[in-house]
Amino acid sequence: MKVRVLFFAQARESAGSASIELVLPESSRVADALAALARDYPALESLWPHLAVALNGRLVPRGADLTEGAELALLPPVSGG
Amino acid sequence: MKVRVLFFAQARESAGSASIELVLPESSRVADALAALARDYPALESLWPHLAVALNGRLVPRGADLTEGAELALLPPVSGG
Amino acid sequence: MAELLEGPIPVERLLAEATRPDCGAVTLFLGTTRDRHEGRKVVRLHYEAYRPMAIAALEKIEADTVGSFAVASCRIVHRLGEVPPAEASVAVVVAAAHRAAAFDACRWAMNEIKSTAPIWKKELYEDGSGGWIEGAKLE
Amino acid sequence: MAELLEGPIPVERLLAEATRPDCGAVTLFLGTTRDRHEGRKVVRLHYEAYRPMAIAALEKIEADTVGSFAVASCRIVHRLGEVPPAEASVAVVVAAAHRAAAFDACRWAMNEIKSTAPIWKKELYEDGSGGWIEGAKLE
């Protein structure tokens, strides 16, 4: 299965990319995607404890199921306003 | 001595005038002016307990001395904003 | 530098003047004419002031606001004469480094205006009658 | 109906849209770029957002504000991209019958924006370097 991964702010700068496509085994969960990203993007390491994760625009726990074509966003601590 | 008396809001409407000149004996105090006004403007009667009095733009107690040409203002409860 | 004026309050100018590079927060309060009060339809409000004393009272509030809160500026403008529904009769603009003080100061200044400035408001109704609003005795 | 936009926030339009004959109070908060932070000179701020989720978050704040306070409307506009010193990055406008609720609601909405909207701020310094602001983890 394929998911689209979006990186924002520090995550975007550390990953060197705003958006990538990630290919995962069928029936993967959010945690599986994060494990793959941690392997592919070691520069994100210090950020992981601070990241929230959104699936198709909603915050999800790491155990949430992924679906084909889903949009997974890595969200550093927010600082709008 | 002469003082200028200013009436505002309800006091102006009840007195039928925005401003008058009041002639008083020398060495009069604010209380003397108010007594003269109470006599000349019976329509103000119900307002008296609610009025504040300013002399030359400052709130004063009734015992304050008047001076020639002073400006005495009768101020109903305020409702700006 | 408080202002009393007849006609619409120049809110955009006030905001432009308040905004400063050393401040991160601006709060604005506008008091506007409501078309109903205690069940009666209000056609417009009429405001009058003891002008020199009102200016002094508003400028004291501006200075006390800057002296009492961590804010860089406070400006007050009050409209006099007739104010139709949905138009502003008073504006308070505060600029501050941080938002908490900007909110606190703006609210405090507005409360002070209501209780200390010699300004009076009369409601004018559909039938041509009017009523002065019961306010606060100056002390 | 929250907005994310690049370029100056149309504050005058927002105030005109907020003002209503059934309301007596309008509060506006503007968050503006400060030219200093923790001793460093800030040349400008850069904002980015996860746009669809940020719009949803801001619209939830607008709705929650109207649902939780005695206010008639709440509008939020956030600027993205680069914001120079003294220009506004965010505007919150609240209209209410009475001022206490208008102040409370505006302050609450602003706090919610800071803690729940997926928007990020980076300070850009004189030497060309920059730093993301430590913010709040989304929950």
Side-chain angles (χ1 to χ4, degrees):
Chain A
M1 66 191 302
K2 288 180 184 172
V3 298
R4 168 71 43 191
V5 180
L6 306 181
F7 302 96
F8 290 97
Q10 303 97 308
R12 174 176 55 71
E13 290 188 350
S14 295
S17 182
S19 166
I20 61 152
E21 199 173 68
L22 188 65
V23 180
L24 294 162
E26 291 307 304
S27 306
S28 288
R29 298 185 173 193
V30 167
D32 302 315
L34 300 186
L37 292 167
R39 194 181 57 233
D40 295 350
Y41 296 92
L44 290 174
E45 185 176 0
S46 66
L47 265 178
W48 283 114
H50 308 291
L51 293 178
V53 179
L55 185 63
N56 296 324
R58 290 172 181 275
L59 294 177
V60 288
R62 312 267 154 142
D65 291 324
L66 293 173
T67 52
E68 177 64 30
E71 185 171 277
L72 190 72
L74 301 193
L75 310 174
V78 298
S79 53
Chain B
M1 66 191 303
K2 288 180 185 171
V3 298
R4 168 69 45 190
V5 180
L6 306 180
F7 302 96
F8 290 97
Q10 303 97 306
R12 175 177 53 73
E13 290 187 350
S14 296
S17 183
S19 166
I20 61 153
E21 198 174 70
L22 188 65
V23 180
L24 294 163
E26 292 309 302
S27 304
S28 289
R29 298 186 173 193
V30 168
D32 302 315
L34 301 186
L37 292 166
R39 192 180 59 234
D40 296 350
Y41 297 92
L44 289 174
E45 185 178 358
S46 66
L47 265 178
W48 283 114
H50 308 291
L51 293 178
V53 179
L55 185 64
N56 295 325
R58 290 174 181 273
L59 294 177
V60 289
R62 312 267 155 142
D65 292 323
L66 293 173
T67 53
E68 177 65 29
E71 185 173 275
L72 190 70
L74 300 194
L75 310 173
V78 299
S79 53
Chain C
M1 198 182 61
E3 288 176 67
L4 296 172
L5 51 80
E6 298 186 13
I9 295 175
V11 174
E12 201 179 22
R13 169 170 68 76
L14 294 175
L15 288 171
E17 289 172 359
T19 312
R20 315 161 30 137
D22 60 344
C23 284
V26 173
T27 48
L28 165 72
F29 177 82
L30 294 178
T32 56
T33 297
R34 292 178 69 195
D35 64 2
R36 298 217 140 256
H37 186 227
E38 294 176 357
R40 295 190 76 170
K41 184 161 168 59
V42 176
V43 177
R44 57 190 183 279
L45 297 178
H46 165 85
Y47 285 90
E48 69 181 70
Y50 182 16
R51 286 176 176 261
M53 193 178 171
I55 284 285
L58 298 180
E59 294 191 337
K60 180 175 190 307
I61 296 167
E62 291 178 340
D64 287 352
T65 300
V66 173
S68 305
F69 296 87
V71 304
S73 70
C74 174
R75 281 288 306 281
I76 300 169
V77 177
H78 204 299
R79 183 170 172 179
L80 299 178
E82 303 207 333
V83 185
E87 294 194 18
S89 53
V90 64
V92 180
V93 187
V94 170
H98 302 291
R99 70 186 184 283
F103 276 115
D104 289 342
C106 192
R107 183 193 293 245
W108 183 85
M110 193 57 221
N111 289 348
E112 288 292 296
I113 292 167
K114 297 222 169 223
S115 60
T116 71
I119 301 174
W120 298 273
K121 169 165 47 192
K122 186 181 192 175
E123 291 179 344
L124 301 169
Y125 308 115
E126 285 180 297
D127 62 3
S129 69
W132 293 96
I133 299 302
E134 299 247 341
K137 185 169 178 178
L138 286 178
E139 282 170 34
Chain D
M1 198 181 63
E3 288 177 68
L4 296 173
L5 50 78
E6 299 185 15
I9 295 176
V11 173
E12 202 179 22
R13 168 169 70 76
L14 294 175
L15 288 171
E17 289 172 359
T19 312
R20 316 161 32 138
D22 61 342
C23 284
V26 174
T27 47
L28 165 71
F29 176 83
L30 294 178
T32 55
T33 296
R34 292 177 70 194
D35 64 2
R36 297 217 140 253
H37 186 227
E38 293 175 358
R40 294 189 76 168
K41 184 161 169 56
V42 176
V43 177
R44 58 191 182 278
L45 298 178
H46 164 87
Y47 285 90
E48 70 181 70
Y50 182 16
R51 284 176 177 260
M53 192 178 172
I55 284 284
L58 298 180
E59 294 192 337
K60 179 174 191 307
I61 297 167
E62 290 178 340
D64 288 352
T65 300
V66 173
S68 306
F69 297 86
V71 303
S73 70
C74 174
R75 283 288 306 280
I76 300 169
V77 177
H78 204 298
R79 183 170 172 178
L80 299 178
E82 303 208 334
V83 185
E87 293 193 18
S89 52
V90 63
V92 180
V93 187
V94 170
H98 302 291
R99 71 185 184 284
F103 277 116
D104 289 342
C106 192
R107 183 193 292 246
W108 183 85
M110 193 56 220
N111 289 348
E112 287 293 295
I113 293 168
K114 296 221 169 222
S115 59
T116 71
I119 301 175
W120 298 272
K121 170 166 43 191
K122 185 181 191 176
E123 291 179 344
L124 301 169
Y125 308 115
E126 284 180 297
D127 62 4
S129 68
W132 294 95
I133 299 301
E134 299 247 341
K137 185 169 178 178
L138 287 178
E139 282 172 32

